[in-house]
Amino acid sequence: MRPGHRWIFESRQAWGRGTLFRLWRRVASWSASSRKKSGAQHRGSGKRFECGVHGALTAFSCFCMGAGLVILFIIPEVMTAFTVLSTISAILFIFAWAMIVVAYIRYRSIDPQLHIASRFKMPGGLLMPWLVLAFFVFVIMLLALEPDTLHAMLCMPIWFAILAVAYRRKRQAPQLASETSIS
């Protein structure tokens, strides 16, 4: 066995003994040492554990893994869970890019002279945004045809409602702060 691949064998043994934490710590320390060697580590870039790993990044990774475990407990079949998550991410991707395209259409209609003066013009700038939006609608219609992806699509209004409530609260917070500072 080559020395560099010894950890694979040890990690298999570690899984059996329930010491997954040691494997995580070893990988985290390798990552930290490689960041030190490459010069990617900066002073004041956040709190770190003693092995050199960012605390916030580790917490975010743990949150993502925990969310994945919760999803696997709710949806025990891995492929079904994957289908739901990939559909949700596709819908969020389509939503984000649709907002960008809508902003571009609005930008062209509000200030066409600024767009004419721009050096970076979209090819087919009048027709292409509408074709992109039509393509997004087509993809959403395709996702609605399968029962697996339809279930995930039906969950998305809940997410958009949460976003709308959070957006309203964030928008109202500066107004409330300015009202309290004036009085």
Side-chain angles (χ1 to χ4, degrees):
M1 186 181 328
R2 294 187 309 192
H5 297 297
R6 183 173 159 218
W7 72 274
I8 295 172
F9 178 73
E10 290 174 356
S11 67
R12 286 185 185 162
Q13 290 177 342
W15 287 91
R17 291 193 306 260
T19 56
L20 181 62
F21 178 74
R22 259 189 276 161
L23 175 65
W24 168 81
R25 188 171 175 187
R26 183 177 296 166
V27 171
S29 66
W30 286 341
S31 171
S33 65
S34 68
R35 286 179 52 82
K36 287 177 187 175
K37 290 177 188 172
S38 68
Q41 184 174 358
H42 302 290
R43 287 187 201 158
S45 59
K47 185 172 176 151
R48 297 176 180 271
F49 292 117
E50 59 191 37
C51 62
V53 177
H54 283 280
L57 296 178
T58 304
F60 179 71
S61 297
C62 290
F63 172 77
C64 290
M65 286 189 286
L69 281 174
V70 168
I71 289 170
L72 283 176
F73 281 125
I74 294 171
I75 306 169
E77 296 176 21
V78 174
M79 285 312 295
T80 305
F82 176 77
T83 302
V84 167
L85 289 178
S86 61
T87 302
I88 289 172
S89 66
I91 292 170
L92 292 175
F93 177 83
I94 288 171
F95 176 74
W97 275 99
M99 291 296 104
I100 292 169
V101 172
V102 167
Y104 175 77
I105 292 171
R106 180 116 168 98
Y107 159 72
R108 280 194 66 129
S109 68
I110 288 177
D111 202 350
Q113 298 303 326
L114 189 60
H115 182 266
I116 291 170
S118 174
R119 289 179 26 190
F120 304 104
K121 295 184 177 116
M122 176 188 254
L126 290 174
L127 177 65
M128 196 55 68
W130 295 104
L131 290 176
V132 169
L133 290 175
F135 175 72
F136 288 159
V137 169
F138 173 71
V139 170
I140 288 176
M141 287 174 25
L142 284 178
L143 289 173
L145 292 177
E146 290 293 321
D148 298 354
T149 55
L150 181 62
H151 292 294
M153 285 182 65
L154 295 176
C155 294
M156 291 311 297
I158 297 168
W159 173 250
F160 288 122
I162 292 170
L163 282 180
V165 168
Y167 178 72
R168 284 195 180 136
R169 283 190 177 181
K170 184 175 178 170
R171 239 176 126 190
Q172 289 174 353
Q175 292 173 354
L176 293 176
S178 65
E179 289 174 4
T180 57
S181 64
I182 292 173
S183 50

